[in-house]
Amino acid sequence: MTEPIKQLRELVDQSERIVFFGGAGVSTESGIPDFRSTGGLYHQEWKYPPEEILSHTFYKSNPEEFFRFYRAKMLAPDARPNAAHRKLAEWERQGKLTAVITQNIDGLHQAAGSRNVLELHGSVHRNHCERCGKFYALDEILHTQGVPRCSCGGIIKPDVVLYEEGLDQDVLQAAVRALMEADMLIIGGTSLNVYPAAGLISYYRGDRLVLINKSPVGRDLDARLVITDPIGQVFSQL
Ligand code: CNA
């Protein structure tokens, strides 16, 4: 076992209220591309940049193109949890981890068995008709083409937070509470470039902060330990 993994293990052993804060990098080893890595969505050719397509204005003005991108790039129904998702779920079952706070919308933490998953940016698994509010599961969306329509004729919108849209206040408050009560914070697979999500980590006041990220992040962190190996590989050694 390498020295950083040994140190991470010791910090985990000393902790009872771990919070994990993560992003797209947690799911790249499950085959879902992130935004900012080479090979990520920002390096691919689309007629519009991803942040424009994923904005509320674009969704309203050009739903056909929005859903073309969304279906091609945001839905990954065959992806399965990797070692990071699985270990976090195990820690929760053991009573060591209180919350996973994620910017991901893929549902892989729940698929691995995590229960207290605070989805800052929503989930592709929940979809509602904009007109009548009827709920649709992901499977039903996958059986439609183009702009998904409800039986009432309304557009079915994924419960995914688009740029220009606000975050759910209850989820935000629960995340703040978990961070304030945490005795260890592991941040992983996120560039910490997207706000207000990235600002939440300031609520953590403890001295066991660990960063597991392949590339440098968008803000200064007072981390006890920084690991730049792939997060799934790291967790598979714990
Ligand atoms: P990002 O900005 O794309 O950053 C990802 C970070 O993870 C980068 O710094 C990478 O270096 C790092 N990284 C990539 N793979 C690994 C790995 N295996 N191990 C360790 N580090 C790795 O993504 P953020 O989450 O920070 O940005 C926020 C956006 C991206 C959120 O709004 C998400 O909804 C959105 N997103 C989500 C998904 C998903 O749900 N799986 C996929 C793509 C984008």
Side-chain angles (χ1 to χ4, degrees):
M1 191 188 302
T2 61
E3 192 51 36
I5 300 288
K6 212 174 131 212
Q7 280 179 40
L8 176 56
R9 211 180 218 185
E10 281 167 15
L11 290 170
V12 168
D13 286 345
Q14 291 159 16
S15 305
E16 292 170 344
R17 291 183 309 282
I18 302 171
V19 166
F20 179 82
F21 182 98
V26 177
S27 295
T28 52
E29 286 160 272
S30 295
I32 305 179
D34 64 5
F35 275 0
R36 290 173 183 82
S37 299
T38 350
L41 295 181
Y42 283 3
H43 295 263
Q44 299 177 8
E45 276 306 308
W46 278 78
K47 226 158 82 192
Y48 308 90
E51 46 297 45
E52 188 178 338
I53 304 180
L54 295 172
S55 69
H56 184 81
T57 307
F58 193 93
Y59 167 77
K60 282 289 179 196
S61 61
N62 196 345
E64 290 78 14
E65 187 67 3
F66 171 88
F67 277 106
R68 202 168 72 81
F69 180 89
Y70 178 77
R71 288 175 188 282
K73 297 296 169 188
M74 308 306 286
L75 297 181
D78 297 330
R80 293 289 166 261
N82 62 52
H85 300 103
R86 289 195 298 270
K87 183 56 77 174
L88 292 166
E90 186 185 315
W91 287 347
E92 186 187 50
R93 278 195 298 276
Q94 293 169 349
K96 286 185 78 61
L97 177 138
T98 55
V100 168
I101 304 172
T102 184
Q103 298 161 88
N104 291 349
I105 54 174
D106 55 32
L108 289 184
H109 287 293
Q110 290 91 334
S114 283
R115 286 164 175 266
N116 193 24
V117 183
L118 302 170
E119 295 174 311
L120 296 171
H121 294 159
S123 171
V124 298
H125 291 275
R126 296 185 296 271
N127 305 272
H128 287 94
C129 170
E130 289 192 309
R131 191 183 292 168
C132 72
K134 185 174 174 193
F135 174 86
Y136 288 87
L138 175 58
D139 255 7
E140 296 170 278
I141 303 298
L142 291 170
H143 283 98
T144 62
Q145 284 181 347
V147 179
R149 294 270 174 190
C150 177
S151 42
C152 81
I155 294 181
I156 305 171
K157 184 177 187 290
D159 281 4
V160 163
V161 180
L162 301 176
Y163 289 100
E164 304 161 353
E165 293 178 344
L167 273 56
D168 183 290
Q169 286 303 313
D170 292 340
V171 175
L172 271 179
Q173 276 174 22
V176 168
R177 214 176 309 125
L179 284 161
M180 288 176 79
E181 291 169 359
D183 62 1
M184 177 172 184
L185 173 61
I186 305 176
I187 299 174
T190 171
S191 63
L192 294 180
N193 274 318
V194 176
Y195 282 79
L200 282 174
I201 57 174
S202 307
Y203 285 98
Y204 174 66
R205 295 278 169 219
D207 65 354
R208 287 185 211 133
L209 196 161
V210 175
L211 174 68
I212 308 170
N213 209 64
K214 281 211 249 180
S215 56
V217 293
R219 50 177 294 181
D220 281 341
L221 294 176
D222 193 10
R224 278 270 280 271
L225 182 62
V226 176
I227 300 177
T228 54
D229 297 327
I231 194 163
Q233 280 181 33
V234 171
F235 273 88
S236 67
Q237 297 171 67
L238 293 174

